Amino acid sequence: MPYEPPTHTVERSLRATTGAKIVVGIDEVGRGAWAGPVSVCAAITGLRRPPDGLTDSKLLTPKRRTELCKVLADWVTSYALGHSSPEEIDALGMTAALRLAAVRALEALPVRPDAVILDGKHDYLGAPWRVRTVIKGDQSCIAVAAASVIAKVRRDAMMAELGLEYADFDFAANAGYPSPTHRTALEQYGPTPYHRVSWSYMDALPRWQHLKKVRVTPEAAALEAGGQLGFDF
């Protein structure tokens, strides 16, 4: 399917309207998975022409994503990854876990950005960062597209490695997301230490109900009550 290549339009706008000199693109992967971390990539690209074929990682084949990730690792000005563990997701809820992972990525960069382009319509990052949210930014913004590809390839590799230890869950194929094989393994073996055991998929596993966790922190309760998690399994 043809698609419009991403541009620097949003970045140029931020530079012109805010005086920002260093603009970073951020994208996440793993938000809807049952297992594994939620991972965020922060990528700084400058205003150079991107590698051919760069777009949202979900529009690329696994082979093309992997090839492009190798190119991007040398092409971007700088990038960093941040992760929130399943334990942190269970304790904090997804919105807070996303922010934690994003801050870790931003703080791992060699320079502090003046502005952030964040994929999506919700600003889960907030102050003190200057944030511009862009719906489908992973398709329209070069820096966000680069972050999308790097985040996806790196997290998939992490999950494939984890799959060597838990072969029945087929993490190399499903990356911790729902799948028939994943569900069957959960029913038979129960959740691994890498599963998000506060999530409602656990309600369909009566044999393993004793392992389900309930978020009780004030921050997590407030996020849940405010409907900010937005997932229904």
Side-chain angles (χ1 to χ4, degrees), residues 84-211:
S84 284
S85 69
E87 292 85 359
E88 289 168 330
I89 295 169
D90 284 333
L92 298 173
M94 182 52 70
T95 302
L98 274 172
R99 185 179 194 279
L100 184 61
V103 169
R104 285 169 173 165
L106 287 165
E107 292 183 344
L109 290 168
V111 294
R112 184 179 176 88
D114 301 310
V116 176
I117 304 173
L118 187 64
D119 181 52
K121 64 179 179 179
H122 297 299
D123 178 9
Y124 58 76
L125 188 56
W129 306 95
R130 179 185 290 165
V131 176
R132 173 80 59 86
T133 58
V134 180
I135 297 173
K136 294 188 177 180
D138 46 11
Q139 294 182 35
S140 61
C141 302
I142 287 172
V144 180
S148 169
V149 172
I150 295 171
K152 174 65 174 168
V153 171
R154 295 298 172 84
R155 185 183 181 279
D156 280 0
M158 291 170 60
M159 295 306 296
E161 184 174 350
L162 189 60
L164 298 176
E165 184 177 357
Y166 297 96
D168 292 298
F169 290 84
D170 201 18
F171 288 147
N174 60 50
Y177 284 83
S179 75
T181 301
H182 192 169
R183 188 182 297 274
T184 298
L186 276 168
E187 291 171 351
Q188 184 169 356
Y189 303 108
T192 72
Y194 301 95
H195 277 86
R196 305 167 187 182
V197 291
S198 64
W199 284 37
S200 59
Y201 73 83
M202 290 289 293
D203 295 336
L205 303 172
R207 181 180 174 190
W208 308 104
Q209 279 297 293
H210 62 289
L211 298 177

